[in-house]
Amino acid sequence: MDDFTGRVAVVTGAASGIGLAFATRFAKEGMKVVLADIESQPLARAEAAIKAQGGTAIAVRTDVMREAEVKRLADAAFDAWGNVHILCNNAGVSGSLSVDGLWEEAMEDWNWVLGVNFSGVLHGIRHFVPRMLAKAEAGHIVNTASVAGLVTSRFGAPYTISKHGVVALSELLYKDLRTRGAKLSASVLCPGWVDTKIIDSSRNRPDGLKLDGAAGKAQSAQAQMTLQAVRGFLKDGFKPEAIAGLVFDAIRSDTFYIVPAQPHIEQAVALRLEDIRLRRNPTITPPA
């Protein structure tokens, strides 16, 4: 895809972080942008900021866990501007960081993290891609995964599994689109540490999926050191604007795998691939 002026982009998780950087970059390229996020006030501020810079944008409050709301988002985008040319299924949450054994992960965490990170992407594909195909115009879908979709560690099981699912789903989508000769293509974004507030995503946890007192207390007691370390890694990570630039270039060049990662994480990815190639047992490494 190389024609962006006047085209339409939809971005979920657009109120902050990588999603806001996506939306801002698309607007600067002359695109009309539909911003979606679960947080109403930050979403309104993001819309206002893009308009203040001369961009064209509308905001639609959306909980991507709920398929009906993603359908409503698609309806709003197509009703407003007739088509969607870039879809970024970007909304994501982190979940808990540390429990004593993945079998101890609370079901509330599994349901929430998989619901947002995986089902949110699936809902976007289900309700945008058929309509984009029907328009028969050039377009691109970008699904945000993580390097956690390429490697495994010893904590954050729901997050890791959700991101592995997004990688597989994106590969299937890419192959499907290619096989049918569609004018649409797809990419998967698998970043390492990025300077965002995803670690604080529990502020958006639905009431019905909040951890009960015992589970919340246990998780908090065990995760403090990990939490502080992760905050430091995130703060020192890539800037969202840099990630947005890489994604824009990938859309233009039709590059599928977008993997901006720190050197030690790139080494972990290479090590896992080598484990698989050699049919050896997984190498245990320090968390990346």
Side-chain angles (χ1 to χ4, degrees), residues 240-270:
E241 295 77 15
I243 302 299
L246 293 174
V247 167
F248 184 80
D249 290 343
I251 293 171
R252 187 162 47 192
S253 63
D254 191 18
T255 299
F256 180 77
Y257 294 107
I258 312 168
V259 190
Q262 286 74 18
H264 67 286
I265 297 179
E266 290 187 347
Q267 292 170 8
V269 173

PDB file of all heavy atoms in Angstrom, residues 240-270:
ATOM      1  N   PRO A 240       7.102   5.145  21.489  1.00  0.00           N
ATOM      2  CA  PRO A 240       5.986   4.744  20.622  1.00  0.00           C
ATOM      3  C   PRO A 240       6.066   5.345  19.222  1.00  0.00           C
ATOM      4  O   PRO A 240       5.692   4.697  18.237  1.00  0.00           O
ATOM      5  CB  PRO A 240       4.760   5.248  21.382  1.00  0.00           C
ATOM      6  CG  PRO A 240       5.179   5.237  22.813  1.00  0.00           C
ATOM      7  CD  PRO A 240       6.630   5.639  22.799  1.00  0.00           C
ATOM      8  N   GLU A 241       6.566   6.570  19.120  1.00  0.00           N
ATOM      9  CA  GLU A 241       6.661   7.223  17.811  1.00  0.00           C
ATOM     10  C   GLU A 241       7.621   6.472  16.886  1.00  0.00           C
ATOM     11  O   GLU A 241       7.396   6.404  15.663  1.00  0.00           O
ATOM     12  CB  GLU A 241       7.124   8.672  17.989  1.00  0.00           C
ATOM     13  CG  GLU A 241       6.141   9.561  18.735  1.00  0.00           C
ATOM     14  CD  GLU A 241       6.143   9.340  20.242  1.00  0.00           C
ATOM     15  OE1 GLU A 241       7.090   8.697  20.766  1.00  0.00           O
ATOM     16  OE2 GLU A 241       5.186   9.808  20.898  1.00  0.00           O
ATOM     17  N   ALA A 242       8.681   5.918  17.460  1.00  0.00           N
ATOM     18  CA  ALA A 242       9.614   5.133  16.649  1.00  0.00           C
ATOM     19  C   ALA A 242       8.949   3.858  16.144  1.00  0.00           C
ATOM     20  O   ALA A 242       9.145   3.452  14.985  1.00  0.00           O
ATOM     21  CB  ALA A 242      10.861   4.802  17.468  1.00  0.00           C
ATOM     22  N   ILE A 243       8.158   3.224  16.996  1.00  0.00           N
ATOM     23  CA  ILE A 243       7.429   2.021  16.590  1.00  0.00           C
ATOM     24  C   ILE A 243       6.439   2.360  15.479  1.00  0.00           C
ATOM     25  O   ILE A 243       6.305   1.624  14.489  1.00  0.00           O
ATOM     26  CB  ILE A 243       6.692   1.401  17.794  1.00  0.00           C
ATOM     27  CG1 ILE A 243       7.675   1.054  18.915  1.00  0.00           C
ATOM     28  CG2 ILE A 243       5.902   0.174  17.352  1.00  0.00           C
ATOM     29  CD1 ILE A 243       8.727   0.045  18.542  1.00  0.00           C
ATOM     30  N   ALA A 244       5.747   3.495  15.622  1.00  0.00           N
ATOM     31  CA  ALA A 244       4.778   3.904  14.595  1.00  0.00           C
ATOM     32  C   ALA A 244       5.468   4.113  13.253  1.00  0.00           C
ATOM     33  O   ALA A 244       4.919   3.766  12.195  1.00  0.00           O
ATOM     34  CB  ALA A 244       4.064   5.179  15.033  1.00  0.00           C
ATOM     35  N   GLY A 245       6.666   4.679  13.281  1.00  0.00           N
ATOM     36  CA  GLY A 245       7.400   4.868  12.039  1.00  0.00           C
ATOM     37  C   GLY A 245       7.748   3.550  11.372  1.00  0.00           C
ATOM     38  O   GLY A 245       7.626   3.403  10.144  1.00  0.00           O
ATOM     39  N   LEU A 246       8.172   2.573  12.157  1.00  0.00           N
ATOM     40  CA  LEU A 246       8.490   1.257  11.615  1.00  0.00           C
ATOM     41  C   LEU A 246       7.256   0.587  11.025  1.00  0.00           C
ATOM     42  O   LEU A 246       7.322  -0.065   9.972  1.00  0.00           O
ATOM     43  CB  LEU A 246       9.095   0.371  12.707  1.00  0.00           C
ATOM     44  CG  LEU A 246      10.472   0.785  13.234  1.00  0.00           C
ATOM     45  CD1 LEU A 246      10.860  -0.100  14.410  1.00  0.00           C
ATOM     46  CD2 LEU A 246      11.522   0.708  12.137  1.00  0.00           C
ATOM     47  N   VAL A 247       6.129   0.741  11.716  1.00  0.00           N
ATOM     48  CA  VAL A 247       4.885   0.137  11.223  1.00  0.00           C
ATOM     49  C   VAL A 247       4.451   0.796   9.924  1.00  0.00           C
ATOM     50  O   VAL A 247       4.033   0.106   8.976  1.00  0.00           O
ATOM     51  CB  VAL A 247       3.779   0.228  12.292  1.00  0.00           C
ATOM     52  CG1 VAL A 247       2.421  -0.102  11.713  1.00  0.00           C
ATOM     53  CG2 VAL A 247       4.110  -0.705  13.454  1.00  0.00           C
ATOM     54  N   PHE A 248       4.542   2.112   9.861  1.00  0.00           N
ATOM     55  CA  PHE A 248       4.164   2.796   8.624  1.00  0.00           C
ATOM     56  C   PHE A 248       5.036   2.327   7.457  1.00  0.00           C
ATOM     57  O   PHE A 248       4.538   2.036   6.366  1.00  0.00           O
ATOM     58  CB  PHE A 248       4.269   4.311   8.798  1.00  0.00           C
ATOM     59  CG  PHE A 248       3.805   5.077   7.597  1.00  0.00           C
ATOM     60  CD1 PHE A 248       2.453   5.291   7.375  1.00  0.00           C
ATOM     61  CD2 PHE A 248       4.720   5.582   6.682  1.00  0.00           C
ATOM     62  CE1 PHE A 248       2.014   5.983   6.249  1.00  0.00           C
ATOM     63  CE2 PHE A 248       4.293   6.270   5.562  1.00  0.00           C
ATOM     64  CZ  PHE A 248       2.934   6.481   5.354  1.00  0.00           C
ATOM     65  N   ASP A 249       6.329   2.202   7.692  1.00  0.00           N
ATOM     66  CA  ASP A 249       7.233   1.718   6.645  1.00  0.00           C
ATOM     67  C   ASP A 249       6.891   0.284   6.237  1.00  0.00           C
ATOM     68  O   ASP A 249       6.971  -0.077   5.053  1.00  0.00           O
ATOM     69  CB  ASP A 249       8.676   1.783   7.121  1.00  0.00           C
ATOM     70  CG  ASP A 249       9.185   3.216   7.257  1.00  0.00           C
ATOM     71  OD1 ASP A 249       8.552   4.132   6.690  1.00  0.00           O
ATOM     72  OD2 ASP A 249      10.207   3.411   7.953  1.00  0.00           O
ATOM     73  N   ALA A 250       6.493  -0.539   7.212  1.00  0.00           N
ATOM     74  CA  ALA A 250       6.137  -1.932   6.919  1.00  0.00           C
ATOM     75  C   ALA A 250       4.869  -2.009   6.079  1.00  0.00           C
ATOM     76  O   ALA A 250       4.749  -2.863   5.191  1.00  0.00           O
ATOM     77  CB  ALA A 250       5.961  -2.710   8.215  1.00  0.00           C
ATOM     78  N   ILE A 251       3.914  -1.144   6.368  1.00  0.00           N
ATOM     79  CA  ILE A 251       2.694  -1.114   5.552  1.00  0.00           C
ATOM     80  C   ILE A 251       3.043  -0.731   4.123  1.00  0.00           C
ATOM     81  O   ILE A 251       2.572  -1.346   3.162  1.00  0.00           O
ATOM     82  CB  ILE A 251       1.683  -0.121   6.151  1.00  0.00           C
ATOM     83  CG1 ILE A 251       1.176  -0.618   7.501  1.00  0.00           C
ATOM     84  CG2 ILE A 251       0.513   0.107   5.188  1.00  0.00           C
ATOM     85  CD1 ILE A 251       0.339   0.389   8.266  1.00  0.00           C
ATOM     86  N   ARG A 252       3.880   0.276   3.973  1.00  0.00           N
ATOM     87  CA  ARG A 252       4.242   0.757   2.646  1.00  0.00           C
ATOM     88  C   ARG A 252       5.027  -0.291   1.856  1.00  0.00           C
ATOM     89  O   ARG A 252       4.848  -0.422   0.637  1.00  0.00           O
ATOM     90  CB  ARG A 252       5.061   2.051   2.782  1.00  0.00           C
ATOM     91  CG  ARG A 252       5.362   2.754   1.482  1.00  0.00           C
ATOM     92  CD  ARG A 252       5.767   4.192   1.718  1.00  0.00           C
ATOM     93  NE  ARG A 252       6.774   4.302   2.787  1.00  0.00           N
ATOM     94  CZ  ARG A 252       7.118   5.464   3.330  1.00  0.00           C
ATOM     95  NH1 ARG A 252       6.531   6.580   2.936  1.00  0.00           N
ATOM     96  NH2 ARG A 252       8.037   5.492   4.284  1.00  0.00           N
ATOM     97  N   SER A 253       5.874  -1.059   2.542  1.00  0.00           N
ATOM     98  CA  SER A 253       6.707  -2.048   1.855  1.00  0.00           C
ATOM     99  C   SER A 253       6.115  -3.455   1.893  1.00  0.00           C
ATOM    100  O   SER A 253       6.716  -4.389   1.362  1.00  0.00           O
ATOM    101  CB  SER A 253       8.100  -2.075   2.485  1.00  0.00           C
ATOM    102  OG  SER A 253       8.032  -2.478   3.851  1.00  0.00           O
ATOM    103  N   ASP A 254       4.951  -3.619   2.533  1.00  0.00           N
ATOM    104  CA  ASP A 254       4.308  -4.921   2.698  1.00  0.00           C
ATOM    105  C   ASP A 254       5.237  -5.927   3.386  1.00  0.00           C
ATOM    106  O   ASP A 254       5.501  -7.018   2.895  1.00  0.00           O
ATOM    107  CB  ASP A 254       3.821  -5.483   1.362  1.00  0.00           C
ATOM    108  CG  ASP A 254       2.916  -6.700   1.535  1.00  0.00           C
ATOM    109  OD1 ASP A 254       2.387  -6.890   2.667  1.00  0.00           O
ATOM    110  OD2 ASP A 254       2.729  -7.459   0.569  1.00  0.00           O
ATOM    111  N   THR A 255       5.739  -5.522   4.545  1.00  0.00           N
ATOM    112  CA  THR A 255       6.572  -6.382   5.380  1.00  0.00           C
ATOM    113  C   THR A 255       5.702  -7.015   6.457  1.00  0.00           C
ATOM    114  O   THR A 255       4.997  -6.306   7.175  1.00  0.00           O
ATOM    115  CB  THR A 255       7.705  -5.564   6.037  1.00  0.00           C
ATOM    116  OG1 THR A 255       8.523  -5.014   5.006  1.00  0.00           O
ATOM    117  CG2 THR A 255       8.540  -6.430   6.966  1.00  0.00           C
ATOM    118  N   PHE A 256       5.758  -8.327   6.593  1.00  0.00           N
ATOM    119  CA  PHE A 256       4.875  -8.998   7.542  1.00  0.00           C
ATOM    120  C   PHE A 256       5.392  -8.907   8.978  1.00  0.00           C
ATOM    121  O   PHE A 256       4.707  -8.410   9.866  1.00  0.00           O
ATOM    122  CB  PHE A 256       4.660 -10.460   7.161  1.00  0.00           C
ATOM    123  CG  PHE A 256       3.758 -11.179   8.136  1.00  0.00           C
ATOM    124  CD1 PHE A 256       2.384 -10.991   8.101  1.00  0.00           C
ATOM    125  CD2 PHE A 256       4.291 -12.010   9.123  1.00  0.00           C
ATOM    126  CE1 PHE A 256       1.547 -11.616   9.024  1.00  0.00           C
ATOM    127  CE2 PHE A 256       3.465 -12.638  10.040  1.00  0.00           C
ATOM    128  CZ  PHE A 256       2.088 -12.441   9.991  1.00  0.00           C
ATOM    129  N   TYR A 257       6.585  -9.399   9.238  1.00  0.00           N
ATOM    130  CA  TYR A 257       7.097  -9.439  10.609  1.00  0.00           C
ATOM    131  C   TYR A 257       7.760  -8.102  10.953  1.00  0.00           C
ATOM    132  O   TYR A 257       8.742  -7.704  10.335  1.00  0.00           O
ATOM    133  CB  TYR A 257       8.112 -10.563  10.787  1.00  0.00           C
ATOM    134  CG  TYR A 257       7.547 -11.951  10.641  1.00  0.00           C
ATOM    135  CD1 TYR A 257       7.815 -12.713   9.503  1.00  0.00           C
ATOM    136  CD2 TYR A 257       6.749 -12.508  11.640  1.00  0.00           C
ATOM    137  CE1 TYR A 257       7.301 -13.995   9.364  1.00  0.00           C
ATOM    138  CE2 TYR A 257       6.239 -13.789  11.508  1.00  0.00           C
ATOM    139  CZ  TYR A 257       6.505 -14.526  10.366  1.00  0.00           C
ATOM    140  OH  TYR A 257       5.996 -15.796  10.231  1.00  0.00           O
ATOM    141  N   ILE A 258       7.232  -7.433  11.966  1.00  0.00           N
ATOM    142  CA  ILE A 258       7.811  -6.188  12.463  1.00  0.00           C
ATOM    143  C   ILE A 258       8.285  -6.491  13.885  1.00  0.00           C
ATOM    144  O   ILE A 258       7.468  -6.646  14.800  1.00  0.00           O
ATOM    145  CB  ILE A 258       6.788  -5.047  12.474  1.00  0.00           C
ATOM    146  CG1 ILE A 258       6.035  -4.971  11.132  1.00  0.00           C
ATOM    147  CG2 ILE A 258       7.460  -3.712  12.778  1.00  0.00           C
ATOM    148  CD1 ILE A 258       4.822  -4.057  11.166  1.00  0.00           C
ATOM    149  N   VAL A 259       9.582  -6.590  14.075  1.00  0.00           N
ATOM    150  CA  VAL A 259      10.114  -7.063  15.358  1.00  0.00           C
ATOM    151  C   VAL A 259      11.194  -6.100  15.869  1.00  0.00           C
ATOM    152  O   VAL A 259      12.397  -6.416  15.842  1.00  0.00           O
ATOM    153  CB  VAL A 259      10.664  -8.497  15.251  1.00  0.00           C
ATOM    154  CG1 VAL A 259      10.979  -9.058  16.639  1.00  0.00           C
ATOM    155  CG2 VAL A 259       9.688  -9.406  14.524  1.00  0.00           C
ATOM    156  N   PRO A 260      10.801  -4.928  16.350  1.00  0.00           N
ATOM    157  CA  PRO A 260      11.780  -4.037  16.963  1.00  0.00           C
ATOM    158  C   PRO A 260      12.063  -4.511  18.391  1.00  0.00           C
ATOM    159  O   PRO A 260      11.202  -4.435  19.265  1.00  0.00           O
ATOM    160  CB  PRO A 260      11.072  -2.678  16.957  1.00  0.00           C
ATOM    161  CG  PRO A 260       9.609  -3.014  16.990  1.00  0.00           C
ATOM    162  CD  PRO A 260       9.457  -4.339  16.317  1.00  0.00           C
ATOM    163  N   ALA A 261      13.245  -5.029  18.624  1.00  0.00           N
ATOM    164  CA  ALA A 261      13.541  -5.631  19.931  1.00  0.00           C
ATOM    165  C   ALA A 261      14.949  -5.285  20.376  1.00  0.00           C
ATOM    166  O   ALA A 261      15.850  -5.092  19.559  1.00  0.00           O
ATOM    167  CB  ALA A 261      13.373  -7.148  19.860  1.00  0.00           C
ATOM    168  N   GLN A 262      15.122  -5.230  21.689  1.00  0.00           N
ATOM    169  CA  GLN A 262      16.446  -5.001  22.253  1.00  0.00           C
ATOM    170  C   GLN A 262      17.349  -6.207  21.943  1.00  0.00           C
ATOM    171  O   GLN A 262      16.852  -7.320  21.740  1.00  0.00           O
ATOM    172  CB  GLN A 262      16.334  -4.793  23.770  1.00  0.00           C
ATOM    173  CG  GLN A 262      15.755  -3.447  24.176  1.00  0.00           C
ATOM    174  CD  GLN A 262      14.255  -3.311  23.953  1.00  0.00           C
ATOM    175  OE1 GLN A 262      13.541  -4.313  23.804  1.00  0.00           O
ATOM    176  NE2 GLN A 262      13.756  -2.085  23.930  1.00  0.00           N
ATOM    177  N   PRO A 263      18.673  -6.001  21.885  1.00  0.00           N
ATOM    178  CA  PRO A 263      19.582  -7.090  21.485  1.00  0.00           C
ATOM    179  C   PRO A 263      19.421  -8.370  22.295  1.00  0.00           C
ATOM    180  O   PRO A 263      19.434  -9.471  21.725  1.00  0.00           O
ATOM    181  CB  PRO A 263      20.972  -6.468  21.692  1.00  0.00           C
ATOM    182  CG  PRO A 263      20.755  -5.003  21.461  1.00  0.00           C
ATOM    183  CD  PRO A 263      19.396  -4.714  22.045  1.00  0.00           C
ATOM    184  N   HIS A 264      19.251  -8.271  23.620  1.00  0.00           N
ATOM    185  CA  HIS A 264      19.140  -9.497  24.416  1.00  0.00           C
ATOM    186  C   HIS A 264      17.845 -10.237  24.105  1.00  0.00           C
ATOM    187  O   HIS A 264      17.785 -11.467  24.204  1.00  0.00           O
ATOM    188  CB  HIS A 264      19.229  -9.185  25.911  1.00  0.00           C
ATOM    189  CG  HIS A 264      18.083  -8.399  26.456  1.00  0.00           C
ATOM    190  ND1 HIS A 264      17.913  -7.056  26.220  1.00  0.00           N
ATOM    191  CD2 HIS A 264      17.032  -8.774  27.239  1.00  0.00           C
ATOM    192  CE1 HIS A 264      16.822  -6.634  26.836  1.00  0.00           C
ATOM    193  NE2 HIS A 264      16.272  -7.653  27.455  1.00  0.00           N
ATOM    194  N   ILE A 265      16.813  -9.504  23.671  1.00  0.00           N
ATOM    195  CA  ILE A 265      15.562 -10.157  23.301  1.00  0.00           C
ATOM    196  C   ILE A 265      15.702 -10.810  21.932  1.00  0.00           C
ATOM    197  O   ILE A 265      15.197 -11.923  21.705  1.00  0.00           O
ATOM    198  CB  ILE A 265      14.402  -9.147  23.325  1.00  0.00           C
ATOM    199  CG1 ILE A 265      14.204  -8.618  24.749  1.00  0.00           C
ATOM    200  CG2 ILE A 265      13.117  -9.791  22.812  1.00  0.00           C
ATOM    201  CD1 ILE A 265      13.100  -7.589  24.874  1.00  0.00           C
ATOM    202  N   GLU A 266      16.401 -10.146  21.020  1.00  0.00           N
ATOM    203  CA  GLU A 266      16.667 -10.772  19.721  1.00  0.00           C
ATOM    204  C   GLU A 266      17.427 -12.078  19.904  1.00  0.00           C
ATOM    205  O   GLU A 266      17.172 -13.069  19.207  1.00  0.00           O
ATOM    206  CB  GLU A 266      17.456  -9.815  18.831  1.00  0.00           C
ATOM    207  CG  GLU A 266      16.652  -8.616  18.354  1.00  0.00           C
ATOM    208  CD  GLU A 266      17.415  -7.784  17.346  1.00  0.00           C
ATOM    209  OE1 GLU A 266      18.644  -8.006  17.208  1.00  0.00           O
ATOM    210  OE2 GLU A 266      16.788  -6.929  16.698  1.00  0.00           O
ATOM    211  N   GLN A 267      18.353 -12.094  20.855  1.00  0.00           N
ATOM    212  CA  GLN A 267      19.102 -13.322  21.136  1.00  0.00           C
ATOM    213  C   GLN A 267      18.186 -14.417  21.669  1.00  0.00           C
ATOM    214  O   GLN A 267      18.343 -15.594  21.329  1.00  0.00           O
ATOM    215  CB  GLN A 267      20.213 -13.022  22.139  1.00  0.00           C
ATOM    216  CG  GLN A 267      21.316 -12.134  21.598  1.00  0.00           C
ATOM    217  CD  GLN A 267      22.276 -11.660  22.663  1.00  0.00           C
ATOM    218  OE1 GLN A 267      22.226 -12.110  23.813  1.00  0.00           O
ATOM    219  NE2 GLN A 267      23.158 -10.732  22.310  1.00  0.00           N
ATOM    220  N   ALA A 268      17.214 -14.029  22.499  1.00  0.00           N
ATOM    221  CA  ALA A 268      16.268 -15.014  23.037  1.00  0.00           C
ATOM    222  C   ALA A 268      15.402 -15.607  21.929  1.00  0.00           C
ATOM    223  O   ALA A 268      15.102 -16.803  21.928  1.00  0.00           O
ATOM    224  CB  ALA A 268      15.392 -14.363  24.107  1.00  0.00           C
ATOM    225  N   VAL A 269      14.993 -14.758  20.970  1.00  0.00           N
ATOM    226  CA  VAL A 269      14.200 -15.250  19.837  1.00  0.00           C
ATOM    227  C   VAL A 269      15.030 -16.237  19.015  1.00  0.00           C
ATOM    228  O   VAL A 269      14.558 -17.323  18.654  1.00  0.00           O
ATOM    229  CB  VAL A 269      13.723 -14.080  18.960  1.00  0.00           C
ATOM    230  CG1 VAL A 269      13.040 -14.601  17.694  1.00  0.00           C
ATOM    231  CG2 VAL A 269      12.765 -13.179  19.734  1.00  0.00           C
ATOM    232  N   ALA A 270      16.274 -15.869  18.734  1.00  0.00           N
ATOM    233  CA  ALA A 270      17.141 -16.751  17.954  1.00  0.00           C
ATOM    234  C   ALA A 270      17.385 -18.068  18.678  1.00  0.00           C
ATOM    235  O   ALA A 270      17.416 -19.148  18.057  1.00  0.00           O
ATOM    236  CB  ALA A 270      18.469 -16.048  17.667  1.00  0.00           C
TER     237      ALA A 270
END
